[in-house]
Amino acid sequence: MGGTSSTRRVTFEADENENITVVKGIRLSENVIDRMKETAPSGSKSQRYSGAYGASVSDEELKRRVAEELALEQAKKESENQKRLKQGKDLERERALANEQLTRAILRERVSSEEERAKAKHLAKLLEEKDRVIKRQDAFYKEQLARLEERVCLLPVIGSLPPVCSFPMNIFKNR
C-alpha cells in the first residue's frame, strides 16, 4: 500500500495575453475550480481577483492558496494511506494471533482426545481382568458349593440317619 511520498512537479504559466493562469500537473477539487471561476481578471501582471468573501486576491496569493490546498490534500491522502497501512498490519497481526491460538487449541484437543483414548483402553483392560477374576471366583465358589452339598448328603450316611438331601448326587457333578 502506498506509504511512499510522491513529489509532483506543479508549474504555473500564463498564456500569451496573460489572461489565464495555467496550472499543470495537479488535480483541482470542484471547490477550487468554482472559486477560480468567480474571480475576475483585471489586466495587470499582478492580477487581483475577488474571492468568495469579497476580498481581493493577487496571482501570487492564488498560487499560494492552490499550492496549500494541494499540499493539504496530499497530506490528507498520505494520512489515509498511513491509517490503511496501520490497519492492514493490525489485521494481519490479529489474524496471525488468531491462527496461533487456533493451532494451540487444536493441539490441546488432540492431546486430550489421545489421553481419553488411552484411558478408555486402560479401563477396558482393567474391566476384562476383573471379569476374568470374577469368573474364576464363580467357578471356585460353585466347586466349593458342590463339595459342601456332597458332604451334607454324606453326613446322614455316616451317622446312620435318614438322608436330608432330596436331590440326586450326580446333579452337582455336571456343573
Side-chain angles (χ1 to χ4, degrees):
M1 289 177 55
T4 61
S5 60
S6 63
T7 58
R8 287 188 180 170
R9 185 170 183 94
V10 179
T11 59
F12 296 93
E13 299 175 1
D15 70 347
E16 59 271 346
N17 297 335
E18 294 186 15
N19 291 336
I20 300 173
T21 302
V22 178
V23 181
K24 292 183 177 179
I26 60 170
R27 240 185 240 174
L28 299 176
S29 66
E30 289 293 322
N31 193 12
V32 173
I33 293 172
D34 290 341
R35 283 189 295 190
M36 291 173 76
K37 286 179 182 177
E38 290 175 3
T39 61
S42 63
S44 66
K45 176 73 175 162
S46 175
Q47 296 178 0
R48 311 247 343 137
Y49 301 98
S50 62
Y53 301 105
S56 63
V57 179
S58 67
D59 281 342
E60 291 78 27
E61 182 69 20
L62 184 60
K63 290 177 184 178
R64 186 183 61 75
R65 285 185 184 175
V66 169
E68 285 177 0
E69 286 191 31
L70 289 173
L72 285 173
E73 283 187 36
Q74 185 66 25
K76 187 177 178 182
K77 286 181 183 178
E78 289 287 328
S79 174
E80 288 174 3
N81 286 341
Q82 291 293 334
K83 284 181 187 177
R84 280 192 213 116
L85 183 63
K86 185 179 182 300
Q87 288 173 345
K89 287 180 181 178
D90 289 345
L91 285 174
E92 190 62 35
R93 192 176 16 243
E94 287 177 18
R95 195 174 292 131
L97 182 63
N99 282 340
E100 185 177 324
Q101 288 174 344
L102 182 63
T103 302
R104 280 193 224 136
I106 289 171
L107 288 175
R108 277 194 306 267
E109 191 62 33
R110 283 182 185 165
V111 167
S112 175
S113 65
E114 188 61 35
E115 287 174 352
E116 286 178 13
R117 210 175 290 125
K119 186 176 179 180
K121 191 174 182 180
H122 175 70
L123 290 174
K125 284 183 181 180
L126 288 177
L127 186 60
E128 288 174 2
E129 183 61 32
K130 281 247 188 212
D131 193 38
R132 280 194 292 269
V133 168
I134 288 173
K135 284 181 180 178
R136 274 189 258 133
Q137 286 178 344
D138 186 46
F140 175 76
Y141 291 142
K142 284 182 180 179
E143 183 181 319
Q144 293 299 315
L145 181 63
R147 285 184 185 173
L148 287 173
E149 287 175 348
E150 191 176 309
R151 284 185 185 172
V152 167
C153 288
L154 291 178
L155 278 178
V157 173
I158 296 174
S160 50
L161 294 174
V164 225
C165 295
S166 60
F167 48 87
M169 293 292 275
N170 61 0
I171 199 165
F172 295 109
K173 294 187 182 199
N174 290 337
R175 284 192 181 177

